[in-house]
Amino acid sequence: MTVQSLSMALIAAFDRAADRVLISQDDRELTGHQLCAAMDDLALRLIALGVAPGDRVAVQSPKSLDLVMLYLGCLRLGAVYLPLNDAYRADEVGYFLRDAGPSLFICAPADEAALVASACIPTAVTVRTLGAVGEGSWLQATPSDVALPPPPASPDDLAAIVYTSGTTGRSKGAMLSQRNLLANARDLAEVWGISADDRLLHALPLYHIHGLFIAMHPLLLAGGRIDLLPAFDADAVLQRLDDATVFMGVPTHYTRLLASPGLTREATANVRLFVSGSAPLTPATFTAFAERTGHDILERYGMTECGIICSNPLDGPRLPGAVGQPLPGYRVRIAGGAATGVLEVRGDSLFGGYWQMPEKTREEFRDDGYFITGDIASIDDDGVVRIVGRDKDMIISGGLNIYPIEIETLLEAMAEIGDVAVVGVPHADFGEAVLAVVCLRAGANLTGPEIIDRLRPHLAGFKLPKAVVFAPALPRNAMGKVQKAELRRVHAGQFDLCA
Ligand code: AMP
């Protein structure tokens, strides 16, 4: 029988690698056998807290091996994992909890009191805590003594809901099934040649599909080994690369590595594959990395709703500025058959829709099942895809997506501000940085730092404007729409000094 659920496939893979270390952090190492036992134990703890298969478990905890285990415990039980960026503040967390209606919310011990005091947690939600070194009330839960039900076998069961920022200000929960996640993991293991001999140095966050699914699943399925770092730090990465065969990062990670004199051919000699994604990798970074290390970074393209869609080849030329060809499970086309236009995709790992948003889901799919990505792309005669822009005015800063509307709404609510637009402008370190262009009301007095301070309690740090510029008026077209392209052009040099 072909295994069609990620949960079953992972358990089978852990069984095959019973005596091998599959994941580690510092000096803590877990073999396949230990992973299986821990998954059962954690699933029973979830049951003891009232979580049933199909229930959502929302998690906002610092990265750690115990956080990975919590995710695997949810997969074992068939609970739907809902990762939240640990930078989100109470207002933001409250929205996700109200929208997703989880039965359990696990947060960092240090955040619990403030979150509870802010009343952002609905009363029906059980709260437990998990910190960076396993501390907190989650791991103190006693496992239930009921018989553990079998792991989810149906490919259609939901495995995760991952929220993406919404163009209209409302984040949308992308529903990812067991089939979606397994299909992408298998495709990636195949096209990137991931095997039991691989060792991945994992420096990505675990609240995003890049670190949680793309980096981990192929290694776990293939019986390779994952070494977790608590966060990206160029020095820590460079110290550990001699053990690694695979490294995955966002473009900002690569520019930071390039800024370190420790990035050399010797330091990277053991690595066979560097992968970049989540934001465009500039040809300049690609070339500088190749010159310094001898490695051509493999750029791939994907999104929360789809997993990875396109990848440069493992063998064969990796083209700077291109994201390669579609994975075996995907077909791609340009809307309306134009040479350059909105990329539409169809494939096995394409999500099932947005959580409780049937209208929004319908709007983003064509009748023949293609998903409208919102990215502007071209496809050449060899089927190589190039992403040339974005349909929406989303900002990607340090690999994280930011929708201006969310920040604009908060700024517009400030009495001193008459008009405002938020745009992304080039930034040497972050790729793009958030810039707020503000028109003050007559007689009003407010400085840039004061504006940022007022936003701080409401927004994750990565969404805060890196600068505020003041203007007498915003450029608007005949329809009254702010001409953001014009603002991006005028302020393109704003962060030159940061280079
Ligand atoms: P997310 O859902 O957070 O993974 O963000 C998905 C978006 O990131 C895509 O729609 C693209 O706009 C962007 N993206 C991901 N990978 C790349 C890439 N290699 N080049 C350009 N944009 C990318």
Side-chain angles (χ1 to χ4, degrees):
M1 189 189 73
T2 347
V3 172
Q4 289 181 315
S5 80
L6 176 71
S7 301
M8 300 279 278
L10 286 176
I11 292 165
F14 298 164
D15 272 341
R16 285 195 298 274
D19 298 323
R20 278 213 316 279
V21 172
L22 295 183
I23 188 159
S24 79
Q25 181 169 21
D26 301 324
D27 47 12
R28 202 170 147 209
E29 299 181 334
L30 292 176
T31 62
H33 175 72
Q34 289 167 324
L35 278 173
C36 279
M39 282 168 87
D40 287 358
D41 171 73
L42 294 173
L44 287 168
R45 289 173 199 246
L46 289 168
I47 293 175
L49 292 172
V51 179
D55 282 1
R56 275 79 58 211
V57 174
V59 181
Q60 189 191 34
S61 283
K63 181 176 177 182
S64 72
L65 186 48
D66 288 305
L67 184 60
V68 175
M69 293 311 306
L70 170 58
Y71 167 58
L72 294 175
C74 287
L75 281 178
R76 171 63 186 82
L77 178 64
V80 180
Y81 191 75
L82 199 160
L84 294 175
N85 188 327
D86 41 21
Y88 285 142
R89 313 300 294 256
D91 291 358
E92 297 160 299
V93 172
Y95 167 75
F96 296 118
L97 298 184
R98 285 191 305 277
D99 192 60
S103 52
L104 176 66
F105 171 49
I106 299 190
C107 65
D111 296 339
E112 185 183 18
L115 287 171
V116 170
S118 77
C120 75
I121 307 173
T123 45
V125 181
T126 302
V127 182
R128 289 291 181 274
T129 58
L130 174 64
V133 289
E135 76 279 21
S137 51
W138 153 239
L139 287 175
Q140 288 158 14
T142 313
S144 163
D145 54 13
V146 300
L148 188 59
S154 162
D156 297 319
D157 283 357
L158 267 194
I161 297 179
V162 184
Y163 277 83
T164 68
S165 310
T167 32
T168 55
R170 273 194 77 192
S171 278
K172 300 164 287 179
M175 297 190 288
L176 299 163
S177 68
Q178 293 270 350
R179 173 196 284 111
N180 297 151
L181 298 182
L182 180 59
N184 213 226
R186 283 182 169 154
D187 283 348
L188 289 176
E190 185 191 323
V191 297
W192 293 343
I194 305 288
S195 77
D197 297 330
D198 275 314
R199 202 160 161 170
L200 172 94
L201 182 58
H202 190 297
L204 288 157
L206 289 174
Y207 52 73
H208 188 270
I209 63 154
H210 196 166
L212 188 60
F213 304 148
I214 312 306
M216 288 209 308
H217 290 165
L219 270 285
L220 291 175
L221 281 183
R225 173 174 171 145
I226 298 170
D227 296 314
L228 294 175
L229 287 177
F232 177 85
D233 172 79
D235 292 337
V237 168
L238 288 168
Q239 266 167 28
R240 301 279 301 273
L241 272 183
D242 55 351
D243 274 343
T245 63
V246 180
F247 180 80
M248 299 188 197
V250 299
T252 301
H253 294 164
Y254 289 103
T255 52
R256 290 193 182 171
L257 287 172
L258 276 163
S260 167
L263 182 78
T264 58
R265 271 174 197 263
E266 296 69 45
T268 58
N270 196 51
V271 181
R272 69 169 184 88
L273 184 62
F274 283 97
V275 180
S276 173
S278 292
L281 180 74
T282 64
T285 304
F286 177 93
T287 307
F289 200 85
E291 281 170 0
R292 186 93 76 83
T293 65
H295 290 279
D296 286 348
I297 299 171
L298 180 152
E299 183 172 12
R300 82 337 173 250
Y301 157 77
M303 57 200 303
T304 304
E305 290 90 334
C306 315
I308 299 304
I309 301 163
C310 293
S311 171
N312 269 282
L314 184 62
D315 304 310
R318 299 176 192 162
L319 305 173
V323 296
Q325 294 180 327
L327 258 53
Y330 263 109
R331 274 182 286 163
V332 301
R333 71 184 183 198
I334 303 292
T340 301
V342 176
L343 186 72
E344 300 182 348
V345 303
R346 189 183 171 155
D348 300 336
S349 50
L350 191 53
F351 76 132
Y354 296 111
W355 173 254
Q356 288 179 339
M357 287 190 181
E359 279 298 311
K360 193 75 209 158
T361 303
R362 263 194 297 280
E363 277 170 26
E364 306 221 356
F365 278 91
R366 298 276 177 219
D367 290 344
D368 58 0
Y370 276 79
F371 174 68
I372 307 165
T373 63
D375 289 311
I376 311 285
S378 66
I379 307 176
D380 72 14
D381 293 343
D382 296 327
V384 173
V385 177
R386 286 179 174 74
I387 306 295
V388 296
R390 285 189 300 275
D391 194 20
K392 317 152 187 168
D393 60 7
M394 178 175 81
I395 300 167
I396 307 186
S397 190
L400 295 172
N401 296 354
I402 301 161
Y403 278 93
I405 187 89
E406 188 181 5
I407 307 160
E408 286 164 353
T409 308
L410 291 167
L411 290 169
E412 280 159 5
M414 296 183 191
E416 297 89 341
I417 294 181
D419 205 0
V420 64
V422 168
V423 291
V425 291
H427 187 285
D429 192 20
F430 293 104
E432 281 183 318
V434 177
L435 178 77
V437 184
V438 167
C439 310
L440 289 179
R441 290 187 195 284
N445 217 338
L446 199 58
T447 66
E450 282 167 351
I451 292 178
I452 294 172
D453 274 347
R454 283 203 209 166
L455 289 174
R456 213 179 290 280
H458 305 288
L459 286 178
F462 70 89
K463 297 181 195 166
L464 289 173
K466 295 260 179 309
V468 177
V469 294
F470 294 93
L474 296 178
R476 289 183 181 273
N477 68 11
M479 305 299 288
K481 194 167 151 39
V482 178
Q483 291 175 298
K484 290 206 167 175
E486 173 69 5
L487 288 176
R488 281 191 285 266
R489 191 185 60 74
V490 171
H491 298 289
Q494 178 74 25
F495 295 104
D496 274 357
L497 290 177
C498 304

